[in-house]
Amino acid sequence: MNNKKRSRFAIISLGILTMLTSFSAYSEQPLVIAHRGASGYLPEHTIAAKAMAYAMGADYIEQDVVMTKDDHLVVLHDHYLDEVTDVQSKFAERKRSDGRYYVIDFTLAEIRTLDVSERYFVKAGEKKPVFPERFPLNQARFKVHTLAEEIELIQGLNKSTGKDVGVYTEVKSPSFHLQQGKDLSLEVLKVLQTYGYTGKQDKAYFQSFEIEDLKRVAEKLLPSLKMDMKLIQLMGDESYYDEITTKSGIKNLAQYVDGIGPSIGMIVDNHSTAEQLEFSDLVQNAHEHGLLVHPYTFRKERMAMPAYATSYEDLLDIFINQVKVDGVFTDFTDLTVEFIHSNNTTQ
Ligand code: G3P
Ligand code: CA
């Protein structure tokens, strides 16, 4: 992080922080958003991982969505297939010059022939799991599914359990898709509409990292479809987001989105120590403008947790009880639900 970014952070005592952020956008318990499903336990974005997250008590289940060659919407984190499937062994010759296998180059029927695994990287020609303690790499069979299939699972479980778990859908690389002649955001909205998500009161969020495309969703696509939707502007530490994370940028965002989804490092400086946490003013600014704050990603593995957090529960305590965020994207729905219940966390 450069000095300009570091200057966003200030050492704020807990007392002052509590005063600054003592309200959240909604006075409810923080939402537990199952990040790619119960991905701490089963391969991300598989139907099994979604069913497990549902059973663990998630409030919302996340879908990242990309489009196939024949215009089907599939639930995958990347517009590439090569980090979670066996595409290399089944379609070796179909990689592009950059060595990647693009979802958009494959039909849904072709993609359905692939097996999905835990996320991996290749080292010395061998697949290595990104998270070695999670589900084994070459065990059991998992498949890619469509957005509609996942919504049908969630809505089916809502019927059979009597619960009302929501969908939290992200369009991945919409500008890339537009360049390829495919309007990903429009097609995702149409599917959400088909399944009854048509207003802000419905249990659905629409999220995107792309600023211009999300604005297009708010100002053009939703009105053209005569629907509305809770919108979340995702953001990271890249300079692309510098303007929208200023005070005036947040004020402007609040004109057309319902909340923001920052990385946790944008809220608590990763250089913090357990004894001295450094907070940015992002949550305070967002809450002052009525925006929800749903940071990502809460993981329990030491390698994926900031050094200042002494445990997963400590990380949750910092963000839920001290910063008072409105929801968290987590790979560990069970631990997060348990933490919230045992703390009886209300905001
Ligand atoms: O969408 C919130 C969070 O999922 C953002 O990170 O890269 O996992 O989609 P990513
Ligand atoms: Ca996501």
Side-chain angles (χ1 to χ4, degrees):
M1 189 186 294
N2 61 33
N3 285 339
K4 187 175 160 212
K5 296 275 174 59
R6 291 268 293 146
S7 69
R8 279 192 198 143
F9 292 89
I11 301 166
I12 302 175
S13 75
L14 180 56
I16 296 173
L17 179 78
T18 303
M19 192 175 72
L20 291 176
T21 63
S22 60
F23 65 96
S24 63
Y26 290 135
S27 52
E28 292 175 357
Q29 283 196 333
L31 296 179
V32 179
I33 307 154
H35 180 250
R36 312 183 198 171
S39 47
Y41 303 97
L42 281 163
E44 66 182 51
H45 284 319
T46 56
I47 279 289
K50 303 308 170 87
M52 188 172 187
Y54 191 106
M56 286 174 161
D59 297 301
Y60 282 82
I61 297 176
E62 189 200 27
Q63 305 80 39
D64 293 317
V65 180
V66 295
M67 205 182 279
T68 67
K69 185 178 183 177
D70 50 347
D71 297 338
H72 290 280
L73 299 173
V74 288
V75 181
L76 284 165
H77 179 262
D78 307 304
H79 58 281
Y80 312 113
L81 291 159
D82 36 281
E83 290 172 359
V84 293
T85 75
D86 57 352
V87 66
Q88 302 91 334
S89 58
K90 287 181 174 143
F91 294 97
E93 76 292 355
R94 298 273 292 274
K95 67 180 171 207
R96 289 195 187 184
S97 56
D98 61 3
R100 309 299 303 259
Y101 295 81
Y102 285 66
V103 175
I104 210 165
D105 293 341
F106 292 80
T107 64
L108 178 62
E110 288 172 332
I111 289 172
R112 286 197 196 275
T113 68
L114 303 176
D115 288 324
V116 174
S117 69
E118 268 291 319
R119 180 165 288 273
Y120 64 84
F121 61 96
V122 177
K123 193 173 175 188
E126 228 182 290
K127 290 182 180 179
K128 303 275 184 196
V130 171
F131 293 101
E133 289 162 16
R134 295 190 179 183
F135 198 88
L137 261 191
N138 299 307
Q139 194 157 306
R141 290 193 80 197
F142 304 99
K143 294 289 178 182
V144 176
H145 60 267
T146 66
L147 175 61
E149 286 164 352
E150 180 162 334
I151 294 173
E152 291 193 14
L153 173 82
I154 294 168
Q155 293 192 343
L157 285 167
N158 281 343
K159 179 171 185 296
S160 58
T161 65
K163 296 205 293 188
D164 190 14
V165 173
V167 298
Y168 205 123
T169 310
E170 179 184 351
V171 282
K172 281 294 186 193
S173 308
S175 58
F176 164 80
H177 284 85
L178 270 181
Q179 284 159 15
Q180 310 286 316
K182 296 183 188 299
D183 194 336
L184 176 64
S185 293
L186 177 64
E187 297 308 317
V188 165
L189 288 173
K190 283 185 188 167
V191 170
L192 293 173
Q193 186 178 47
T194 299
Y195 283 94
Y197 304 106
T198 56
K200 284 190 193 288
Q201 75 283 356
D202 295 319
K203 294 285 292 266
Y205 283 92
F206 183 100
Q207 43 163 345
S208 179
F209 274 108
E210 292 196 7
I211 300 166
E212 284 309 314
D213 196 67
L214 192 61
K215 205 162 184 217
R216 185 176 71 96
V217 166
E219 295 176 352
K220 295 205 174 114
L221 299 186
L222 287 172
S224 76
L225 292 166
K226 295 187 172 38
M227 62 187 285
D228 208 351
M229 178 77 47
K230 293 188 283 279
L231 302 180
I232 299 291
Q233 175 66 61
L234 298 171
M235 48 186 65
D237 205 28
E238 301 84 10
S239 56
Y240 173 65
Y241 299 105
D242 280 355
E243 168 55 28
I244 63 164
T245 51
T246 61
K247 279 192 177 207
S248 64
I250 290 288
K251 186 177 175 192
N252 187 41
L253 266 184
Q255 304 299 308
Y256 64 93
V257 303
D258 300 88
I260 59 172
S263 64
I264 59 179
M266 297 176 78
I267 295 174
V268 179
D269 191 345
N270 286 326
H271 292 85
S272 296
T273 62
E275 294 73 34
Q276 194 163 58
L277 297 173
E278 295 186 40
F279 299 94
S280 74
D281 59 3
L282 188 60
V283 176
Q284 180 197 353
N285 289 340
H287 282 170
E288 278 179 6
H289 289 94
L291 290 175
L292 297 162
V293 182
H294 295 164
Y296 65 89
T297 303
F298 290 75
R299 296 178 166 123
K300 75 169 185 181
E301 288 91 353
R302 191 64 268 178
M303 62 180 272
M305 208 167 29
Y308 59 78
T310 56
S311 66
Y312 184 68
E313 287 69 29
D314 182 47
L315 184 66
L316 292 176
D317 179 62
I318 292 166
F319 280 83
I320 292 176
N321 293 334
Q322 298 183 45
V323 179
K324 296 189 187 298
V325 298
D326 305 283
V328 295
F329 285 92
T330 177
D331 288 2
F332 295 92
T333 288
D334 55 343
L335 303 181
T336 311
V337 168
E338 193 182 313
F339 175 87
I340 291 170
H341 286 174
S342 65
N343 281 262
N344 192 21
T345 309
T346 51
Q347 303 204 20

